[in-house]
């Protein structure tokens, strides 16, 4: 399966954390900033690191930005540059655009010009967002520690019709499914005989490496 390709525009604390997390997950990442020192810092972390002014349409075109699966606009204090960059990305037909908002006014403008996802760094962790945008199955991701998390994962066709005891998840992966969400119903501490249905939201707790193994082996389609 082809790796998703990401571009991160703006390499401040927030954009940098997204870039590092995506790179650690083995994703193809292009890191872009107007400041050469920041770009140099990420030259050995990202797949590609480029100095460029993303408010210039010709620069974005030259980078082949429309070919990326997902572009994250993490520009710092320059709201005008953030809005203009987002607008150009939309016009160039980028598939999915996530933008860092500075405040509620900025968010309103980003909504109007068609940003697909808007995040507030003070409320969202870079690592959490990176995890969510990598996988179509992960709905939410909450760090408990550096190595353990609680994750909401959508059950795919691969899990449909199997019980917890059939899958033997705890023994095979060392993780626990602590609850299901099925429509408006929540099943807490499900029985081992509980049958999983496609579309169920599984609330999983465990070590990050074990959750990743479970997700890749059983969940991703």
């Amino acid at each position: 399966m082809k790796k998703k390709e990401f571009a991160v525009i703006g390499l401040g604390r927030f954009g940098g954390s997204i870039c590092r997390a995506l790179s650690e997950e083995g994703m193809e990442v292009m890191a872009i900033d107007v400041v050469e020192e920041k770009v140099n810092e990420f030259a050995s972390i990202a797949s590609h690191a480029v100095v460029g002014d993303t408010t210039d349409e010709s620069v974005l075109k030259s980078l082949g930005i429309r070919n990326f699966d997902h572009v994250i606009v993490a520009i710092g204090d320059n709201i005008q540059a953030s809005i203009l960059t987002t607008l150009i990305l939309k016009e160039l037909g980028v598939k999915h655009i996530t933008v860092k908002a500075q405040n509620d006014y900025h968010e309103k403008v980003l909504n109007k010009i068609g940003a697909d996802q808007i995040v507030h760094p003070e409320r969202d962790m870079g690592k959490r967002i990176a995890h969510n945008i990598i996988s179509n199955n992960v709905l939410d991701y909450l760090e408990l520690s550096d190595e353990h998390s609680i994750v909401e994962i959508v059950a795919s066709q691969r899990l449909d019709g199997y019980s917890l005891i059939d899958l033997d998840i705890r023994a095979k992966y060392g993780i626990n499914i602590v609850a299901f969400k099925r429509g408006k119903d929540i099943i807490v501490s499900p029985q081992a005989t509980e049958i999983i249905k496609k579309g169920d939201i599984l609330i999983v707790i465990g070590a990050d490496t074990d959750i990743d193994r479970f997700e890749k082996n059983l969940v991703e389609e």
Side-chain angles (χ1 to χ4, degrees), residues 130-160:
H131 199 99
N132 289 0
I133 61 183
I134 288 167
S135 173
N136 295 328
N137 297 97
V138 172
L139 293 183
D140 206 355
Y141 174 91
L142 177 64
E143 287 181 300
L144 297 176
S145 70
D146 287 343
E147 297 178 353
H148 291 80
S149 303
I150 296 176
V151 182
E152 287 188 358
I153 298 175
V154 181
S156 70
Q157 186 66 47
R158 291 190 191 182
L159 301 182
D160 188 56

Side-chain angles (χ1 to χ4, degrees), residues 65-80:
I65 204 76
R66 64 175 298 175
N67 298 319
F68 285 81
D69 299 295
H70 198 137
V71 178
I72 298 95
V73 181
I75 293 170
D77 296 331
N78 191 336
I79 290 178
Q80 184 175 329

Side-chain angles (χ1 to χ4, degrees), residues 58-210:
S58 63
V59 170
L60 288 174
K61 281 182 175 178
S62 71
L63 295 175
I65 204 76
R66 64 175 298 175
N67 298 319
F68 285 81
D69 299 295
H70 198 137
V71 178
I72 298 95
V73 181
I75 293 170
D77 296 331
N78 191 336
I79 290 178
Q80 184 175 329
S82 167
I83 292 168
L84 188 53
T85 296
T86 304
L87 196 57
I88 296 169
L89 292 172
K90 286 297 293 184
E91 289 176 348
L92 291 177
V94 172
K95 301 182 191 85
H96 196 98
I97 306 166
T98 294
V99 190
K100 165 190 170 182
Q102 294 293 99
N103 51 44
D104 291 341
Y105 170 74
H106 188 192
E107 181 176 4
K108 284 180 184 176
V109 176
L110 292 170
N111 270 318
K112 284 185 182 298
I113 63 176
D116 298 291
Q117 185 177 3
I118 299 166
V119 294
H120 292 262
E122 66 276 13
R123 299 204 292 255
D124 297 300
M125 299 171 292
K127 186 173 180 182
R128 176 180 181 178
I129 295 160
H131 199 99
N132 289 0
I133 61 183
I134 288 167
S135 173
N136 295 328
N137 297 97
V138 172
L139 293 183
D140 206 355
Y141 174 91
L142 177 64
E143 287 181 300
L144 297 176
S145 70
D146 287 343
E147 297 178 353
H148 291 80
S149 303
I150 296 176
V151 182
E152 287 188 358
I153 298 175
V154 181
S156 70
Q157 186 66 47
R158 291 190 191 182
L159 301 182
D160 188 56
Y162 288 96
S163 69
L164 297 181
I165 200 165
D166 292 334
L167 297 169
D168 204 13
I169 288 168
R170 187 183 296 177
K172 287 182 180 175
Y173 299 96
I175 62 176
N176 286 288
I177 294 178
V178 294
F180 290 2
K181 290 182 186 175
R182 183 174 294 155
K184 293 183 180 179
D185 297 327
I186 297 180
I187 304 163
V188 179
S189 298
Q191 299 292 316
T193 53
E194 186 74 43
I195 301 295
I196 297 172
K197 296 179 181 177
K198 182 182 178 182
D200 284 350
I201 297 170
L202 311 179
I203 300 173
V204 177
I205 186 168
D208 294 339
T209 52
D210 293 333

Side-chain angles (χ1 to χ4, degrees), residues 6-23 29-33 38 41-42 45-46 71-76 98-100 102 119-121 124-127 129-130 133:
F6 298 87
V8 179
I9 299 172
L11 301 174
R13 188 169 62 178
F14 175 70
S17 71
I18 291 253
C19 188
R20 287 177 195 278
L22 289 169
S23 298
V29 185
M30 177 181 280
I32 307 167
D33 201 288
K38 289 183 180 178
E41 184 184 339
F42 284 87
I45 296 167
V71 178
I72 298 95
V73 181
I75 293 170
T98 294
V99 190
K100 165 190 170 182
Q102 294 293 99
V119 294
H120 292 262
D124 297 300
M125 299 171 292
K127 186 173 180 182
I129 295 160
I133 61 183

